[in-house]
Amino acid sequence: MNVHNQMEEIVTKSVNNLFDQLKEINPPWFTCDCENCRMDAISYVLNRVPPKYVVSGRGVIYTAQELSDGQVQADLDALGIEAIRKVNSIKRPYHNTNNNKATPANNNSPVFNFPLITGSVLDGTTFEPVIEASVEIKHDGKLVAMMDPSWNNPCKTFKLTKGTYSFWLKPYTSKKVGDSENFSFTLDISAPGYDTTTYSFNIPVISKDSVDTLNTTFSLKIQDLYLFKSGIENPME
């Protein structure tokens, strides 16, 4: 039995179509549409949308019907444009080389690697995902740098992503391998028409001798965070 994430095909087609359209329009910010830039943009979108796994023809049909909603395609296009803008603004070290030969830059200092941080923003009354929410992650009151500039901080939520957000934090340096530290972070969440809210959490980390590559199994799921419409009392307070 083969399990397949149909979103890979859908996102790949959508992003490639956007690249082709932009190539014709040729806006000032659009500087490259090479294979590496396209793959980076596709990865950017796939990291921000829920997978759609299928194992049969029936599953393919069901998923196709589910994704036929015009708003879903609009969200995919919005994420795709965001991805292409990000990728075009960054020239990676391997920009003109084969992606398969790319290796992360060496880091000679021990580092604290952080898990991939994910969560969801929901309406506190309807429990539906909040769209167009802005989520900032901070440490000591300052925005945390991301491991890769193609990851946003603040992060924005879309309908397609069902109110989810994700952060891949840049590692902090350590004095020696094996050091342990408890890092405190805050999430500031805001959205049009809603009261803002803040959530704090800690991550205990032990330093390692190298920077980790992206590993989605090494992740921290934040509890669902709720926003309430302005003027509506928060029953959780």
Side-chain angles (χ1 to χ4, degrees):
M1 179 176 66
N2 294 321
V3 179
H4 177 65
N5 178 14
Q6 197 174 0
M7 286 303 295
E8 291 183 13
E9 297 172 358
I10 295 168
V11 169
T12 297
K13 181 179 179 180
S14 178
V15 171
N16 278 325
N17 285 340
L18 288 172
F19 265 104
D20 293 341
Q21 294 173 30
L22 288 168
K23 190 174 181 180
E24 293 183 4
I25 301 171
N26 196 28
W29 57 266
F30 186 68
T31 59
C32 183
D33 74 330
C34 73
E35 181 181 357
N36 285 337
C37 285
R38 289 184 180 232
M39 291 303 296
D40 280 345
I42 291 168
S43 297
Y44 179 99
V45 176
L46 283 172
N47 280 325
R48 288 159 174 79
V49 299
K52 296 291 183 181
Y53 294 112
V54 295
V55 295
S56 65
R58 180 182 300 176
V60 171
I61 294 173
Y62 175 79
T63 302
Q65 291 175 343
E66 184 180 4
L67 297 175
S68 63
D69 181 2
Q71 184 59 52
V72 171
Q73 186 58 55
D75 286 348
L76 267 181
D77 288 344
L79 274 171
I81 291 295
E82 181 180 292
I84 295 170
R85 280 184 172 273
K86 279 286 184 180
V87 170
N88 269 253
S89 68
I90 304 162
K91 296 303 180 188
R92 297 172 180 269
Y94 59 82
H95 181 259
N96 292 319
T97 62
N98 189 312
N99 265 335
N100 294 328
K101 298 179 180 178
T103 55
N106 291 327
N107 189 319
N108 296 321
S109 301
V111 293
F112 292 104
N113 290 296
F114 298 102
L116 183 68
I117 298 172
T118 65
S120 299
V121 182
L122 307 177
D123 185 295
T125 303
T126 66
F127 304 107
E128 292 294 320
V130 175
I131 312 306
E132 302 292 326
S134 175
V135 186
E136 298 178 343
I137 185 166
K138 296 180 179 179
H139 176 65
D140 290 338
K142 298 179 180 179
L143 289 176
V144 180
M146 295 294 101
M147 178 65 175
D148 185 320
S150 66
W151 290 70
N152 291 337
N153 186 19
C155 179
K156 189 176 180 181
T157 64
F158 295 88
K159 180 178 180 180
L160 181 63
T161 60
K162 299 183 179 180
T164 62
Y165 58 87
S166 60
F167 296 106
W168 186 20
L169 278 57
K170 184 176 181 179
Y172 285 19
T173 58
S174 170
K175 292 182 179 179
K176 66 179 186 297
V177 174
D179 278 351
S180 62
E181 188 165 340
N182 196 31
F183 290 88
S184 298
F185 296 97
T186 58
L187 295 173
D188 291 339
I189 307 98
S190 60
Y194 290 86
D195 291 329
T196 59
T197 190
T198 298
Y199 176 79
S200 300
F201 62 98
N202 296 324
I203 303 179
V205 187
I206 297 177
S207 64
K208 299 172 59 177
D209 60 356
S210 62
V211 174
D212 286 344
T213 56
L214 181 62
N215 180 2
T216 56
T217 63
F218 178 45
S219 63
L220 172 65
K221 176 66 168 66
I222 302 297
Q223 67 180 51
D224 291 341
L225 301 177
Y226 297 92
L227 292 183
F228 291 85
K229 294 281 182 67
S230 300
I232 297 179
E233 184 179 352
N234 183 352
M236 299 182 181
E237 294 181 344

